[in-house]
């Protein structure tokens, strides 16, 4: 693998499905898994096999149909979890077991009522047991974001010696600032023996709206896997959004990091996940929201009509969107009205545009948005129907 490539680990079907009301059946998961494989995702976390018979069956079936990506199953640092995951993954061309344990003092004291040394022992045992089933073993240090770096480095070194191939450094509660999270990855890169022989992974939550920023900070500082979901769905405020990190890397080539994602499939994949989960994508969502390439301000509209790059840093086609939308509102100017009028068949002279614009403002003050049928009525009211282009 190129040292500049950041692997995309998609956990839409595991962490994403933990959103209340977003439960998927096996058939729906298969459809999404095949789309993720087509998208170019490197690893698909298909589920948590021990959690239910349905999840076991889904992971098992996904393992059969995925052609290119690694298929991963989540476990706790519990022998039965790992054994069940290995069974669920037996048909995978490239199986991975993802196991781990909490490492912050909060988790050690209140969740496990144990000691730091005991946590390391449990982690080692889990990695070794998982390694007896598959070669590719990822270890997660849950709540690594709030784990002090010196102890986290001890944990990582022990898991590398036990056979882990990937080290997941989750900001489980979405607490870190980008500088802090980036510095944590840098510290591990500089202080853990054997770290260059494994992949460091970022799994960041969005509780403070920093999941994407933290993941990019991690990659800049040496992480080579980002764990994310389509539309940023997931536990509580969600996860790092796949479409965001992919396009950030694509738009900033000087970072010298990249992915194998086919960005032209991002919008279609976003819509597929939204439809199956029954979870609407917020209109102002970056990259895939309905308004991501929509312009309603007259100043913006005029600029975009003259040259798209004045207000758009991404060509909509790059993410699978047909074209930018010029939305007519009371804030729109003559340029936008002329542009939209031409789209529906009216070629206006300057004098006609002046008359039409005055009528347009009357409509726009009454309605939130002027639609195509409104344009036809405006033309009728101002007697410029003869300008219709044949």
């Amino acid at each position: 693998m190129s040292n500049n490539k950041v692997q995309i680990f998609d956990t839409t079907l595991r962490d994403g499905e933990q959103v209340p009301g977003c439960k998927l059946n096996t058939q729906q998961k298969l459809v999404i898994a095949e789309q993720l494989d087509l998208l170019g995702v490197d690893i698909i976390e298909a589920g948590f096999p021990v959690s239910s018979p349905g999840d076991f069956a889904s992971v098992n079936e996904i393992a059969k149909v995925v052609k290119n990506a690694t298929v991963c199953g989540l476990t706790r640092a519990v022998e039965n979890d790992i054994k069940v995951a290995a069974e669920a993954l037996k048909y995978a061309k490239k199986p991975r077991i993802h196991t781990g344990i909490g490492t912050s003092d909060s988790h050690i004291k209140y969740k496990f009522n144990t000691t730091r040394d005991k946590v390391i022992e449990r982690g080692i045992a889990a990695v070794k047991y998982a390694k007896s089933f598959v070669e590719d073993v990822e270890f997660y240090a849950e709540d690594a974001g709030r784990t002090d770096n010196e102890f986290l480095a001890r944990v990582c070194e022990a898991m590398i010696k036990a056979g882990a191939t990937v080290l997941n450094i989750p900001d489980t509660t979405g607490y870190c600032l980008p500088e802090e999270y980036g510095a944590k990855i840098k510290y591990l890169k500089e202080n853990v023996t054997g770290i260059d022989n494994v992949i460091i992974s970022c799994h960041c939550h969005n509780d403070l709206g920093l999941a994407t920023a933290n993941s990019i900070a991690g990659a800049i500082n040496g992480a080579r896997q980002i764990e994310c979901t389509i539309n940023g769905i997931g536990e509580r405020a969600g996860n790092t959004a796949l479409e965001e990190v992919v396009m950030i890397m694509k738009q900033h080539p000087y970072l010298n990091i990249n992915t194998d994602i086919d960005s032209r499939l991002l919008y279609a994949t976003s819509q597929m996940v939204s439809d199956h989960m029954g979870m609407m994508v917020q209109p102002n969502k970056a990259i895939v929201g309905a308004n991501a390439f929509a312009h309603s301000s007259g100043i913006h509209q005029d600029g975009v009509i003259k040259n798209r790059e004045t207000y758009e840093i991404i060509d909509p086609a790059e993410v699978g969107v047909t074209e930018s939308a010029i939305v007519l509102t009371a804030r729109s100017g003559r340029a936008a009205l002329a542009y939209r009028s031409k789209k529906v068949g009216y070629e206006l002279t300057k004098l006609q545009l002046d008359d039409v614009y005055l009528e347009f403002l009357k409509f726009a003050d009454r309605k939130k948005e002027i639609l195509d049928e409104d344009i036809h009525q405006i033309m009728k009211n101002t007697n410029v129907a003869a300008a219709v282009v044949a």
Side-chain angles (χ1 to χ4, degrees), residues 56-342:
F56 178 93
S58 294
V59 174
N60 195 243
E61 292 303 314
I62 289 168
K64 294 175 185 177
V65 301
V66 169
K67 296 179 175 65
N68 304 303
T70 294
V71 180
C72 177
L74 182 74
T75 82
R76 298 165 296 182
V78 174
E79 276 201 6
N80 187 56
D81 282 27
I82 295 166
K83 183 179 179 182
V84 170
E87 178 66 20
L89 292 165
K90 67 181 179 180
Y91 296 112
K93 291 182 179 179
K94 293 185 283 185
R96 175 184 293 183
I97 291 176
H98 189 189
T99 191
I101 193 169
T103 56
S104 68
D105 288 338
S106 175
H107 279 230
I108 291 169
K109 181 178 179 181
Y110 298 111
K111 188 174 175 181
F112 300 116
N113 190 27
T114 188
T115 65
R116 286 182 165 189
D117 288 342
K118 290 289 185 184
V119 159
I120 291 177
E121 286 176 20
R122 284 183 62 180
I124 290 171
V127 170
K128 286 184 174 179
Y129 190 57
K131 198 78 174 179
S132 71
F133 295 103
V134 296
E135 179 57 34
D136 191 5
V137 175
E138 178 172 344
F139 175 83
Y140 63 83
E142 189 176 8
D143 206 20
R146 295 188 297 176
T147 301
D148 77 74
N149 290 348
E150 187 177 338
F151 176 60
L152 185 59
R154 277 182 59 202
V155 172
C156 289
E157 198 161 301
M159 300 314 143
I160 292 170
K161 289 178 182 176
T165 50
V166 181
L167 297 175
N168 181 7
I169 311 301
D171 183 25
T172 305
T173 58
Y175 181 74
C176 288
L177 293 172
E179 311 89 78
E180 294 171 330
Y181 189 76
K184 188 177 288 284
I185 300 301
K186 188 172 187 286
Y187 181 90
L188 297 177
K189 287 288 288 182
E190 293 174 350
N191 291 279
V192 174
T193 302
I195 197 73
D196 291 334
N197 299 321
V198 300
I199 294 170
I200 299 178
S201 184
C202 307
H203 181 112
C204 299
H205 278 264
N206 206 39
D207 298 71
L208 292 174
L210 293 169
T212 293
N214 284 336
S215 293
I216 293 296
I220 288 171
N221 283 279
R224 285 298 176 263
Q225 178 176 289
I226 291 177
E227 308 196 3
C228 44
T229 60
I230 301 298
N231 301 332
I233 59 171
E235 194 81 33
R236 303 184 312 280
N239 290 271
T240 301
L242 182 150
E243 59 277 1
E244 292 174 10
V245 291
V246 166
M247 293 311 293
I248 287 170
M249 285 184 257
K250 194 165 185 176
Q251 290 297 309
H252 295 278
Y254 64 87
L255 293 176
N256 207 26
I257 48 178
N258 52 71
T259 75
D260 287 340
I261 296 295
D262 183 351
S263 66
R264 295 167 300 176
L265 299 177
L266 287 173
Y267 184 73
T269 306
S270 165
Q271 290 297 298
M272 174 186 285
V273 170
S274 175
D275 290 344
H276 280 291
M277 288 191 165
M279 190 171 188
M280 185 189 79
V281 179
Q282 66 189 65
N284 64 324
K285 169 75 181 63
I287 315 299
V288 293
N291 293 343
F293 299 99
H295 307 273
S296 66
S297 160
I299 295 171
H300 288 217
Q301 291 172 334
D302 183 54
V304 168
I305 290 167
K306 289 173 177 172
N307 187 313
R308 181 189 58 76
E309 293 182 1
T310 55
Y311 286 100
E312 284 183 358
I313 60 168
I314 299 169
D315 182 342
E318 283 189 54
V319 299
V321 175
T322 307
E323 61 179 351
S324 306
I326 300 297
V327 180
L328 293 180
T329 70
R331 307 286 82 78
S332 299
R334 285 172 170 78
L337 177 58
Y339 176 84
R340 278 285 300 278
S341 296
K342 188 174 182 179

